[in-house]
Amino acid sequence: MAVSDEWSFTRSFLRRTHNREVNEYFRDIDPDFIGDNTTGRNATKRACLILPNESQNRALLKILTFRYVVQQVHLKPAVFGLPVTTFQEQVRYLPQIIIHYRERNDIARANNRYPLRARYAVRYRGDVTSAADIALLENRIFQIFDTPTHYFDKGRFKFSYRDPEKGYSLVVAAAGEADAKDVINKLLDLNFDTPDWDNLTKSEYTEPLPLLEGTVRVGGELHRIPKKRPSGRVYFQTAELSVWGMPKNKILYTNGSPRQNATFF
């Protein structure tokens, strides 16, 4: 394959994958609109989209622009954790399905914050040894969480669902009991289980919740203190499979993309 043909193939691939991510980030803008004289968010989106006749250098520049200028990946907050392999040396666990929810980017920007997130892990009792087992699991996740895309309102009430005999220990921060029950019902449905609501308890954060975040001064610089139990609507984003002995979680499903091992966020 000639060099020009190889670049045409790669550019076509990038336009399908990178441009889809850009369109999702700018979901408030018509995905078919690419104007010449754009301003504001339209101009920012155009600066990130790879066009049909883009050169290699310009395509690379647009990818970097989206990552470092728009998404600002280098400014993401630090993560407290340790390598999975180190954790697995200390703890042995049964297979888990991890469900991620995330607030829409435009709503987070309007509230001047990082997108709200929610994460729930469910012990999975099904088989995961064969490719057919994984395909069935992926399809079940699609049916439960993405037909249509599931969402709920995260909030100040904390609902705990505990069933030690079946291995469930879930804590959902939601705006109300109906939202919490909806989430718990879908998580248990992965194992074809139905909740016993006698196992559900509710707790409310009793301290006054400030409307705005406070600040802390470190070395002469002010840093914003995050809100406790922030409220907002979060949408199903990704499902992962975690198995003891597997050094990296397997992406089972990303919103709108069944059976696609894509990098999470």
Side-chain angles (χ1 to χ4, degrees):
M1 182 180 292
V3 173
S4 58
D5 292 338
E6 182 66 27
W7 167 237
S8 296
F9 172 82
T10 303
R11 180 172 55 201
S12 177
F13 171 79
L14 290 174
R15 295 194 70 234
R16 289 195 308 272
T17 55
H18 171 78
N19 283 4
R20 181 177 60 198
E21 192 176 353
V22 173
N23 281 320
E24 169 63 22
Y25 190 91
F26 294 97
R27 63 193 303 171
D28 56 309
I29 300 174
D30 183 354
D32 297 323
F33 174 76
I34 307 177
D36 292 328
N37 299 312
T38 55
T39 58
R41 282 177 57 77
N42 285 325
T44 307
K45 177 183 175 181
R46 180 183 170 88
C48 299
L49 283 174
I50 299 174
L51 302 181
N53 297 317
E54 216 77 88
S55 68
Q56 295 181 32
N57 288 342
R58 190 176 294 273
L60 176 60
L61 182 60
K62 289 191 170 185
I63 292 172
L64 294 176
T65 297
F66 182 59
R67 289 284 180 261
Y68 291 99
V69 178
V70 178
Q71 290 186 317
Q72 296 186 324
V73 294
H74 59 300
L75 299 179
K76 296 295 184 185
V79 175
F80 283 84
L82 71 165
V84 170
T85 51
T86 302
F87 176 77
Q88 291 182 351
E89 290 173 2
Q90 304 169 16
V91 180
R92 182 167 184 167
Y93 55 89
L94 296 174
Q96 297 180 20
I97 299 174
I98 303 170
I99 302 296
H100 296 268
Y101 290 83
R102 187 174 187 267
E103 187 179 33
R104 281 171 38 187
N105 287 321
D106 57 327
I107 301 300
R109 284 194 297 270
N111 286 279
N112 190 30
R113 66 185 180 204
Y114 290 112
L116 300 180
R117 298 172 186 260
R119 174 187 181 277
Y120 305 105
V122 176
R123 184 177 297 175
Y124 183 59
R125 298 198 299 271
D127 201 349
V128 294
T129 55
S130 72
D133 295 328
I134 295 298
L136 288 172
L137 177 55
E138 290 168 339
N139 186 65
R140 185 148 188 80
I141 291 168
F142 167 66
Q143 295 295 332
I144 295 173
F145 291 96
D146 209 24
T147 54
T149 300
H150 183 242
Y151 63 85
F152 74 97
D153 290 326
K154 188 175 180 180
R156 65 180 295 171
F157 300 104
K158 183 176 287 187
F159 297 86
S160 302
Y161 184 88
R162 305 188 190 281
D163 187 345
E165 291 185 3
K166 293 186 176 181
Y168 295 125
S169 181
L170 302 169
V171 179
V172 179
E177 185 172 323
D179 278 311
K181 284 185 172 180
D182 189 27
V183 174
I184 293 167
N185 186 65
K186 288 184 177 296
L187 293 170
L188 268 60
D189 197 18
L190 291 167
N191 284 318
F192 298 93
D193 280 339
T194 55
D196 177 356
W197 296 121
D198 289 339
N199 295 322
L200 184 70
T201 59
K202 173 186 174 182
S203 65
E204 182 178 357
Y205 194 77
T206 55
E207 295 181 14
L209 295 175
L211 295 177
L212 299 175
E213 302 90 337
T215 57
V216 59
R217 183 179 296 275
V218 180
E221 297 180 352
L222 287 177
H223 300 271
R224 183 181 298 173
I225 300 174
K227 285 184 179 179
K228 289 184 178 294
R229 299 193 190 178
S231 299
R233 179 161 292 181
V234 291
Y235 295 79
F236 166 70
Q237 185 75 23
T238 302
E240 299 178 280
L241 176 65
S242 177
V243 178
W244 184 76
M246 187 169 64
K248 187 175 182 180
N249 290 354
K250 178 178 178 61
I251 303 297
L252 296 170
Y253 188 95
T254 57
N255 182 299
S257 304
R259 294 177 291 282
Q260 177 175 314
N261 275 325
T263 302
F264 180 52
F265 296 147

